[in-house]
Amino acid sequence: MKKILFIAIAVMALCATSCVTKQKYLELDKRYKECMDDKQFASTELTDCQNKNKDLDRQVTNLRSKVDQLKQDTLDLSRKLAQTEVEYAKSRHDYDELAKNIAELTKDSHAAITQLSSNLDSAQLQLQNKERELSEMQERLEMQADELQAKQDSLNEYAKSLTELQKILAQKDQEVRALKDKVSNALKNFEGSGLKVEQRNGKVYVSMDEKLLFASARWEVQGEGKAALQELAKVLEADSTINVLIEGHTDNLAYNGSGQVKDNWDLSVMRATSVVKLLLAYGDINPQRISASGRGEFFPIDPADTKEARAKNRRTEIILTPKLDELFQIIDNN
């Protein structure tokens, strides 16, 4: 933000004094627009993260609602179980009373005994039904209790994973910012010579114009470009957790070469490979951490068919990515 304000003040001052050329004014105006684009991109990234966080919060709320419903169902079953136990106790008491009456009336009336026996059978059948109902309700209650515990465990694990994920994301974002600052400090002497360091999508991009690294239509790194790569190699050697991708980019003018380099694809690959070899030569860097990729003319910064746009598109991008093993492990586990 300070950089944007500084450029805006510089533009206003230059306009007020009328002591600069139109080209200088356009350059400052361009830098101001680029800063505004960076600010817009960062705002969009922040909005995406906030939306993802809201989605996670909604999922947690839904799980908690289901857990509350299971708790209510369990409470209802517990009440029904208590009622059934009361009815069972009453039926058992009635059964015992009938059995006692039959014993007392046996000597007095055969008919009464027959009736009491029938009543006893009916009471026994009711008692059996109540016992079966009680057993079924106990099984349902146990199943509900197990399901409730499983949901509660799942909710606790989900909340724990969410907290760990947020913590690791914050840590990785801090690591990327620190890496950007470290790289910017190492390459600050080259930033006015066609080199730019940016932080995008959780990665650090070191973009080098063609004029800093290569002669036109060549792929051997020259003078000041070698010095910049030496400084960058020191940073990569000191931190073995950084993975490196070098991308070569050309403009949209056809390259008609011969031998092993015939077109823009070949040229972009050769340039990326040259940068890889120099980084490995300048620093003790594990080759498994670094790779090269030729992008040809198909990922332009500026799609305009102008001399200025083509100059911006002829570049080499060194993309630095901290290891994300912890983050991927949490995502895989959930």
Side-chain angles (χ1 to χ4, degrees), residues 170 178 282-283:
Y282 290 148

Side-chain angles (χ1 to χ4, degrees), residues 84-96 119-135:
T84 303
E85 288 175 341
V86 171
E87 293 177 357
Y88 172 79
K90 185 176 181 303
S91 296
R92 171 61 71 179
H93 179 267
D94 292 341
Y95 175 82
D96 293 338
N119 292 341
L120 180 62
D121 291 339
S122 177
Q124 189 173 16
L125 180 61
Q126 291 181 9
L127 181 62
Q128 290 173 351
N129 290 336
K130 290 296 181 181
E131 288 177 341
R132 184 172 59 253
E133 183 180 353
L134 178 62
S135 177

Side-chain angles (χ1 to χ4, degrees), residues 34 65 82 86 88 125 172 186 193 203 221 242 244 260 268 272 281:
E34 288 175 346
S65 176
V86 171
Y88 172 79
L125 180 61
K172 292 303 177 185
S193 304
K203 302 175 183 178
V221 179
I242 303 171
V244 187
Q260 64 180 355
S268 65

Side-chain angles (χ1 to χ4, degrees), residues 32-51:
Y32 173 75
K33 290 178 179 178
E34 288 175 346
C35 290
M36 292 302 293
D37 289 343
D38 290 346
K39 177 185 176 184
Q40 181 62 34
F41 180 82
S43 298
T44 301
E45 287 292 294
L46 176 60
T47 300
D48 289 343
C49 290
Q50 290 173 341
N51 289 338

Side-chain angles (χ1 to χ4, degrees), residues 246-262:
I246 289 88
E247 291 185 347
H249 298 265
T250 67
D251 59 25
N252 60 352
L253 296 180
Y255 176 82
N256 298 315
S258 60
Q260 64 180 355
V261 181
K262 297 181 176 63

